[in-house]
Amino acid sequence: MSDIVQDIADNRARSRALPMFGPGYLPPELSPGVEQDKSGFRDVLYLFLRSWPYIRYYFLGRWWIPGKGIGTTTAEVLASEGYSFAYAPFLVVAVALAGPMTGLVPATLEWPWFLMYVPTITIAASMFGLAFAPPGRWQALSIAAVILSGIGVVTSSGFFMEGWPPKLYGTAVVAACIFGWTVQFRIRHNGETRLEFRVRAATHLVYFYAINFGQRFLGLALGLILGDLVNQNLLQGEPLAPSLQKIAMFFGVPEWAYTAVEELTREQKVELMWLYVKIELLIWVTQSPLNTFVNPYYNMWIMQQINQDLRIALVERWHQLSMSYHSGHRTGDSIFRVYQDSAMVVSVIGHLLAMTLASGSYLTCVVLVTLLSPWLGLMAATLLIPAFMWSYWAMPRMRVRALAYRAAASDVTATIQEAFGAIKLIKAFGTRKRAQKRFEDDAVMAFNAAYRVRNLIAVVTIVMYTLAATFFIGGEFAMALWANRGDPAFAAELIGLLGLSYVVWNLATFRWGEAQFRESSHDIRGVLRGWMTAQDMAMGLRRVFDILDIEPDVKDREDAVPMTRFQREIRFDNVRFAYERGRPVLDNVSFSATPGTITAIIGPTGSGKSTLMTLLLRLYDVDAGTISIDGIDVRDYQVEALRGNIAIALQENVLFAMSVRDNIRYVAPGADDATVLEAVRVACMDDYVNGLPRGLDTTLSDRGGKLSTGQRQRLSIARAVVRDTPILVLDEPTAALDAATEHRVMTNLAEWGHGRAIFLITHRISTIRRADNILYLDHGHIVESGDHDTLMGIEHGRYRAFVEAESHLKRTA
């Protein structure tokens, strides 16, 4: 009965923790005020730009060189290694001049040809700046000018020039620019003069943007054509406009233009209806594979590649960080940053792509409706003012709430990781309910923090939608009025170049203008929502870059040398170290060890025994004094080379979810079976390995499966032995072994360790007796040192008291 009452109380508490209406409770540290926001527009933009090193590989591509294939490094923005594209401006000029000179296009700057020639001249001039301007501002401006003028060439030749020749001409000019950026040449004088070239390839983000721009361009053209066809021809029976007549004749429709008929008959409209069906079917056949398969798959592939690169960089830096970082941070928080926060770079790119397309679409819509009426363009542009004001209020609040949510979600991950790691303790002490409550509390905090983020997004979106709808209703009323009166369009002369009926306000103009105005308001809402969501992503990226920005405390010096061998001695000379300032762990510690000796390190808990060995491995660096190997300070060795010459059997006996064989050679992947078997022999693993279902190939769990503590300890010793290093560190290596097994293991280690320096951290008297030198540490000082007999001869000595106390405990046990 008491359990039922408790369950009811728990459920009631859960329901209160997650209220149906309004925000739930958050502690002060997870509900910061807007005054705690330390990021502005520039800071967020800077965070996005910091993703560039992980994006550039897929934007700039790689170089393909004949005979060598495609490279693995990122291609440069422009030129390098003697390669040049200085020919590109001259190629563009030659193509630009070839059109008028061959008669493909008229050699005149009169209306409307100057619409095409002005961006053509601009793109040619910009290519000279791109090829010959020094790196910096002018080169960046040249890049922007090439892109914008290229869009201008494509738009003017594609929309406003009649016939195929101008379209081919515009395509050729743009293709010459792309060719110049893609293909580079150099002349080599290596015994003989020869011309070499390379081709830029694998520029996946460029390909993806080109596909999306092409679809947008095609969609705009088809929207104009189909809008005219449906609203003017099918619904009102008007004759075909010139451009529509050419398309209709391509599909076999007779001459039904203004010059041939005054009004379409019912039969002609039915035939045009089938023309409409054919065009829509053609659009579906060509666009459906792109929209349904190609674009989503290609986008996902690019994004996941970039995400993988960032995760790899994050984990690589995580491995480089010193133990002072890892000991002060929860493992679950690091897992969340690696797995979840790093994925934000994918979302950032996706949102930036969507926002770029939406911004371009918005600007296009504003320009297009301005051609119909400047008042419409002004109304569409004015929508930016409340959008910016609303954004100014909302974005700081979004950032602080998003950062709080990520901290809360990170706590949930850390709590789960800690609970799983301590599952044996939780079961042994019967603290399941306490662990469950801790998880539920953290999960509720994360939910409530996420609710506040989503609630803010919803409020901003609703308000912006209302504002956009107000502008849209006003614009629609004005367009309906103009269409009812049949007013001429503002840029009728320019629109007339399209060969469609949008030169006056009619049903087609109204429908198309309405669609563009609606799309402009939709785009501005999309940009605002995307930028708002981007604040959350920026906070995730900040947590990623917080780790990437941390400089490791322990790293190679510029003149560091590799450690190739160990011949003479390891020397600790007046070593001082503290984990926290003012609380020294080691103070003026000095001793030495030579090859072929065993050094035992003993002392009370917290005396600094394990710390000595972490300093030898350079998991930390000393605060004062030196540690040297063969007379060279360990800080002058390359870190990887130093650690590659030291093997360690840890007290924790860490195992991995892999076979026994792979666990042993985890630190030496290249070890052959003979070496593994020798390590098994030295660690006395034969007895239990032979009893495993598949011997050395038996797969263990990450906590060692059903192996006993002693079996795991011997596996840890075998892992240290298989590395075959000149220095071996054993931290409590035989604590879980019985006396007989310990004797066998230590005998084998003594034989195997000939010519090696072995350090033992232990309290087992039988193990300590074998040492050539015994160091007794207390409060960070070596109070006694020497072999067993020497130290036992010290009257009232600390080591002697330790041995006598251990012996007394054994006799009374």
Side-chain angles (χ1 to χ4, degrees):
M1 185 67 180
S2 60
D3 291 341
I4 297 175
V5 173
Q6 184 61 46
D7 288 342
I8 294 174
D10 291 343
N11 290 332
R12 184 175 298 168
R14 289 168 183 153
S15 66
R16 291 174 179 172
L18 297 173
M20 181 175 292
F21 302 104
Y25 169 75
L26 281 177
E29 62 271 17
L30 291 180
S31 54
V34 70
E35 67 279 357
Q36 293 181 257
D37 175 46
K38 299 179 180 179
S39 302
F41 175 81
R42 290 184 179 180
D43 301 302
V44 173
L45 188 61
Y46 174 69
L47 282 170
F48 291 157
L49 292 177
R50 289 201 58 187
S51 303
W52 170 247
Y54 307 98
I55 300 172
R56 65 193 301 267
Y57 184 79
Y58 301 94
F59 191 85
L60 300 178
R62 294 168 285 163
W63 292 115
W64 175 85
I65 301 175
K68 296 182 180 179
I70 193 167
T72 56
T73 58
T74 306
E76 298 77 20
V77 178
L78 297 176
S80 67
E81 299 179 4
Y83 286 95
S84 172
F85 67 107
Y87 72 94
F90 301 98
L91 175 64
V92 175
V93 169
V95 172
L97 292 176
M101 292 177 66
T102 59
L104 182 68
V105 290
T108 178
L109 289 178
E110 294 181 358
W111 175 269
W113 295 100
F114 80 87
L115 295 174
M116 181 178 69
Y117 283 131
V118 169
T120 301
I121 295 171
T122 304
I123 201 172
S126 302
M127 286 298 292
F128 277 99
L130 198 61
F132 300 109
R137 177 181 299 178
W138 287 109
Q139 207 168 65
L141 290 175
S142 297
I143 293 174
V146 167
I147 294 173
L148 294 177
S149 54
I151 294 173
V153 170
V154 172
T155 303
S156 59
S157 62
F159 280 100
F160 301 121
M161 303 295 111
E162 186 177 357
W164 287 106
K167 296 171 176 56
L168 293 176
Y169 175 74
T171 302
V173 171
V174 173
C177 295
I178 296 173
F179 184 87
W181 183 65
T182 304
V183 182
Q184 297 183 359
F185 297 90
R186 72 178 177 183
I187 299 176
R188 293 292 297 270
H189 301 281
N190 190 12
E192 60 177 348
T193 302
R194 66 180 184 206
L195 182 67
E196 296 180 346
F197 72 94
R198 63 181 183 179
V199 180
R200 192 186 300 271
T203 55
H204 295 291
L205 279 173
V206 175
Y207 305 154
F208 186 71
Y209 265 103
I211 292 172
N212 280 271
F213 177 78
Q215 285 186 286
R216 172 65 180 169
F217 187 83
L218 182 62
L220 179 60
L222 291 173
L224 288 167
I225 293 169
L226 294 178
D228 203 14
L229 176 65
V230 171
N231 293 292
Q232 298 304 118
N233 307 129
L234 290 178
L235 294 181
Q236 300 188 66
E238 292 185 2
L240 299 180
S243 293
L244 265 178
Q245 180 61 59
K246 294 177 181 178
I247 297 173
M249 292 179 67
F250 176 80
F251 285 92
V253 175
E255 176 72 29
W256 292 341
Y258 283 97
T259 55
V261 295
E262 293 184 0
E263 186 177 359
L264 298 179
T265 65
R266 177 181 175 83
E267 291 76 14
Q268 290 171 334
K269 287 195 289 185
V270 170
E271 190 168 350
L272 275 183
M273 182 185 67
W274 285 110
L275 170 63
Y276 174 78
V277 171
K278 291 177 183 178
I279 295 176
E280 286 286 6
L281 184 61
L282 182 62
I283 294 173
W284 182 83
V285 170
T286 56
Q287 295 293 308
S288 181
L290 286 175
N291 295 328
T292 308
F293 305 108
V294 177
N295 269 357
Y297 178 83
Y298 198 23
N299 178 57
M300 182 60 66
W301 183 84
I302 295 172
M303 298 303 109
Q304 290 304 317
Q305 291 287 330
I306 295 172
N307 188 22
Q308 177 71 0
D309 291 345
L310 182 57
R311 280 180 180 168
I312 290 173
L314 188 58
V315 173
E316 184 177 11
R317 175 49 61 94
W318 186 78
H319 281 300
Q320 292 172 354
L321 297 178
S322 63
M323 292 302 298
S324 59
Y325 170 85
H326 294 294
S327 59
H329 289 76
R330 299 174 77 181
T331 303
D333 177 68
S334 296
I335 293 172
F336 190 86
R337 291 179 192 237
V338 170
Y339 178 73
Q340 188 66 31
D341 288 335
S342 67
M344 290 300 100
V345 71
V346 173
S347 300
V348 163
I349 297 167
H351 268 68
L352 288 179
L353 175 61
M355 289 170 62
T356 301
L357 294 174
S359 299
S361 176
Y362 171 74
L363 292 174
T364 303
C365 292
V366 171
V367 170
L368 292 176
V369 296
T370 301
L371 296 178
L372 298 177
S373 170
W375 291 108
L376 282 181
L378 180 62
M379 292 177 68
T382 305
L383 189 57
L384 284 173
I385 297 175
F388 281 136
M389 294 176 62
W390 194 226
S391 173
Y392 181 80
W393 177 87
M395 297 312 159
R397 290 164 175 78
M398 182 65 184
R399 286 192 289 270
V400 295
R401 294 186 184 189
L403 199 57
Y405 159 68
R406 292 189 173 278
S410 178
D411 286 342
V412 174
T413 306
T415 299
I416 294 172
Q417 183 271 332
E418 290 167 2
F420 287 173
I423 189 65
K424 185 180 292 186
L425 182 145
I426 291 172
K427 287 183 174 294
F429 285 92
T431 58
R432 177 185 63 82
K433 291 186 177 180
R434 185 182 302 173
Q436 178 70 17
K437 185 178 186 306
R438 184 185 177 197
F439 166 74
E440 289 182 5
D441 290 344
D442 284 349
V444 165
M445 295 300 104
F447 178 89
N448 289 339
Y451 172 83
R452 296 192 180 197
V453 171
R454 301 304 169 192
N455 181 65
L456 181 61
I457 293 176
V459 169
V460 170
T461 303
I462 292 171
V463 171
M464 197 60 215
Y465 181 86
T466 304
L467 290 172
T470 302
F471 277 80
F472 175 70
I473 291 172
E476 191 169 21
F477 176 81
M479 287 186 286
L481 181 64
W482 297 330
N484 184 59
R485 294 197 308 228
D487 291 353
F490 170 69
E493 188 176 1
L494 179 63
I495 297 173
L497 297 175
L498 297 174
L500 298 173
S501 64
Y502 297 97
V503 292
V504 296
W505 279 96
N506 51 31
L507 182 60
T509 309
F510 171 78
R511 293 293 187 190
W512 187 79
E514 179 189 40
Q516 296 302 311
F517 200 72
R518 181 189 297 114
E519 187 169 353
S520 68
S521 63
H522 173 76
D523 288 335
I524 198 64
R525 294 200 314 270
V527 170
L528 181 61
R529 183 183 177 88
W531 182 244
M532 199 171 179
T533 309
Q535 309 304 302
D536 175 35
M537 299 171 191
M539 297 304 99
L541 285 178
R542 167 172 288 173
R543 287 165 48 84
V544 171
F545 290 126
D546 282 346
I547 293 182
L548 292 176
D549 288 342
I550 297 174
E551 286 296 327
D553 296 335
V554 177
K555 57 184 178 181
D556 290 336
R557 292 177 172 175
E558 291 184 2
D559 57 349
V561 298
M563 179 181 172
T564 57
R565 56 185 177 177
F566 166 51
Q567 289 182 311
R568 298 193 303 277
E569 70 168 358
I570 299 170
R571 176 170 293 277
F572 284 65
D573 189 10
N574 296 318
V575 169
R576 300 184 65 186
F577 177 76
Y579 292 107
E580 299 177 12
R581 183 172 296 179
R583 300 178 61 184
V585 178
L586 297 174
D587 190 11
N588 292 323
V589 172
S590 299
F591 69 93
S592 63
T594 58
T597 61
I598 298 176
T599 302
I601 306 171
I602 65 172
T605 300
S607 59
K609 303 184 295 296
S610 297
T611 301
L612 271 178
M613 295 300 98
T614 60
L615 294 177
L616 177 62
L617 282 158
R618 282 200 74 194
L619 299 180
Y620 298 91
D621 274 336
V622 298
D623 295 334
T626 59
I627 304 172
S628 61
I629 298 177
D630 289 345
I632 300 176
D633 193 320
V634 293
R635 290 169 292 189
D636 292 326
Y637 285 120
Q638 295 171 357
V639 175
E640 291 299 321
L642 171 67
R643 294 174 184 170
N645 282 275
I646 304 174
I648 184 169
L650 296 169
Q651 189 174 357
E652 291 86 357
N653 303 319
V654 177
L655 300 182
F656 300 93
M658 54 182 65
S659 68
V660 175
R661 186 192 309 276
D662 290 335
N663 261 285
I664 293 173
R665 61 184 183 192
Y666 179 80
V667 296
D672 56 24
D673 288 345
T675 306
V676 172
L677 291 174
E678 173 63 12
V680 169
R681 184 195 67 79
V682 172
C684 298
M685 291 176 58
D686 319 62
D687 55 347
Y688 79 83
V689 166
N690 294 332
L692 293 174
R694 299 180 59 191
L696 287 172
D697 295 318
T698 302
T699 300
L700 305 176
S701 70
D702 56 359
R703 286 189 289 271
K706 297 181 180 179
L707 297 184
S708 68
T709 304
Q711 290 171 334
R712 291 198 296 270
Q713 197 161 54
R714 279 182 279 169
L715 195 154
S716 183
I717 294 172
R719 180 189 294 156
V721 169
V722 80
R723 200 169 190 187
D724 194 22
T725 58
I727 303 170
L728 176 65
V729 178
L730 302 173
D731 191 350
E732 296 287 0
T734 59
L737 303 182
D738 58 79
T741 304
E742 177 206 7
H743 177 75
R744 289 165 50 211
V745 170
M746 293 309 302
T747 300
N748 290 347
L749 282 173
E751 295 174 356
W752 174 85
H754 180 71
R756 295 176 169 86
I758 299 178
F759 294 90
L760 298 174
I761 301 174
T762 182
H763 291 91
R764 298 283 286 265
I765 300 299
S766 55
T767 303
I768 298 171
R769 286 176 181 271
R770 297 174 176 272
D772 301 289
N773 187 27
I774 302 170
L775 307 177
Y776 192 97
L777 262 69
D778 192 11
H779 292 94
H781 297 272
I782 297 179
V783 295
E784 293 177 5
S785 66
D787 61 19
H788 175 76
D789 293 334
T790 300
L791 296 183
M792 288 300 292
I794 300 175
E795 194 74 24
H796 305 298
R798 301 290 294 276
Y799 176 75
R800 180 173 175 173
F802 165 74
V803 173
E804 290 174 349
E806 289 288 322
S807 300
H808 175 72
L809 288 174
K810 286 186 178 180
R811 287 196 300 270
T812 57

